[in-house]
Amino acid sequence: KQEVTQIPAALSVPEGENLVLNCSFTDSAIYNLQWFRQDPGKGLTSLLLIQSSQREQTSGRLNASLDKSSGRSTLYIAASQPGDSATYLCAVRRDQGAQKLVFGQGTRLTINP
Amino acid sequence: ETGVTQTPRHLVMGMTNKKSLKCEQHLGHNAMYWYKQSAKKPLELMFVYSLEERVENNSVPSRFSPECPNSSHLFLHLHTLQPEDSALYLCASSLRPDGSTNEKLFFGSGTQLSVL
């Protein structure tokens, strides 16, 4: 059974710092991995999707990496801003059939002005 | 705005009530999903509908009853719920039910449900 773990559960950093969020998964046979952002009481917004054949994806100040063999992914946020404060979740797609994502519990990120 | 709209945003119900959650997607997608997000637990997949046919029931109790009348609408009918069912219920959609590896899920903002 696939399990996804995100450490730390919460992170607080000063504005302007670069930071890394971690995601690990137990079964390396994945089809893709997504990073999502969730604001309090809201739904999820997909940030980056990495296919199983890719090593990384970039969007603006965000860079996500994937190491399937070790079951790890990282989300790098450069020059953090208070607006980046949110919960970040990673999810792996486990099946070739209908999309079924297995989520981690998320990292709650606070950027202090 | 992701193109997936959920109503109501908030719902408070008693254990004997019957209510329904509604989800509508304006993206032309063919697959729709219900997820449950409880405090301090990962998001859990509840149901998957592909082209209006249920393809996944992730061991969800029968007090939750999904309905997908067409590819744009998804309902979750609730009856005789328990307080532990209080959670954020999220709807999502994707273009194809067995989409290519680079396909994303689009989520609605959710319905925050409280069962008293």
Side-chain angles (χ1 to χ4, degrees):
Chain A
K1 177 184 174 184
Q2 177 74 273
E3 293 184 359
V4 179
T5 303
Q6 292 185 247
I7 295 173
L11 180 64
S12 181
V13 301
E15 180 178 3
E17 282 200 3
N18 304 324
L19 59 99
V20 175
L21 306 180
N22 297 297
C23 173
S24 61
F25 46 94
T26 54
D27 185 348
S28 62
I30 65 171
Y31 279 83
N32 63 34
L33 181 145
Q34 289 188 61
W35 282 94
F36 292 87
R37 169 187 173 134
Q38 185 176 28
D39 293 289
K42 299 286 184 65
L44 280 66
T45 300
S46 181
L47 298 173
L48 290 164
L49 183 149
I50 310 178
Q51 299 178 45
S52 60
S53 59
Q54 296 177 320
R55 298 282 293 183
E56 64 178 324
Q57 279 285 337
T58 298
S59 176
R61 294 182 293 108
L62 305 180
N63 176 278
S65 69
L66 175 64
D67 184 342
K68 270 184 58 176
S69 60
S70 66
R72 294 173 189 245
S73 176
T74 62
L75 179 66
Y76 175 83
I77 303 177
S80 58
Q81 303 171 358
D84 295 329
S85 298
T87 297
Y88 290 81
L89 300 106
C90 72
V92 298
R93 178 177 168 182
R94 62 186 187 191
D95 282 328
Q96 189 175 5
Q99 285 207 43
K100 292 174 282 188
L101 300 184
V102 179
F103 282 84
Q105 285 196 244
T107 294
R108 188 174 68 254
L109 176 64
T110 303
I111 307 299
N112 301 305
Chain B
E1 179 60 49
T2 64
V4 181
T5 304
Q6 289 188 244
T7 55
R9 293 296 309 276
H10 302 273
L11 179 62
V12 179
M13 59 187 290
M15 290 190 286
T16 59
N17 292 157
K18 290 184 180 180
K19 296 287 185 182
S20 295
L21 310 184
K22 179 181 177 182
C23 176
E24 183 175 1
Q25 57 94 2
H26 315 278
L27 302 169
H29 288 173
N30 291 314
M32 297 186 78
Y33 311 77
W34 280 116
Y35 278 87
K36 175 183 178 181
Q37 187 175 34
S38 305
K40 303 187 180 185
K41 290 179 67 175
L43 268 82
E44 302 171 81
L45 177 66
M46 300 176 71
F47 300 104
V48 180
Y49 272 84
S50 165
L51 299 170
E52 302 143 42
E53 179 181 343
R54 190 190 310 179
V55 297
E56 177 87 11
N57 176 348
N58 209 29
S59 302
V60 179
S62 59
R63 56 186 184 269
F64 295 91
S65 175
E67 177 190 4
C68 187
N70 55 63
S71 59
S72 298
H73 294 84
L74 184 66
F75 296 89
L76 187 62
H77 304 300
L78 316 172
H79 62 98
T80 60
L81 294 192
Q82 305 298 313
E84 59 265 29
D85 296 322
S86 298
L88 180 67
Y89 289 85
L90 292 163
C91 172
S93 70
S94 64
L95 179 59
R96 289 181 295 272
D98 57 348
S100 61
T101 55
N102 61 353
E103 191 176 317
K104 295 180 180 180
L105 279 185
F106 292 81
F107 281 83
S109 297
T111 295
Q112 186 66 55
L113 173 67
S114 298
V115 182
L116 305 179

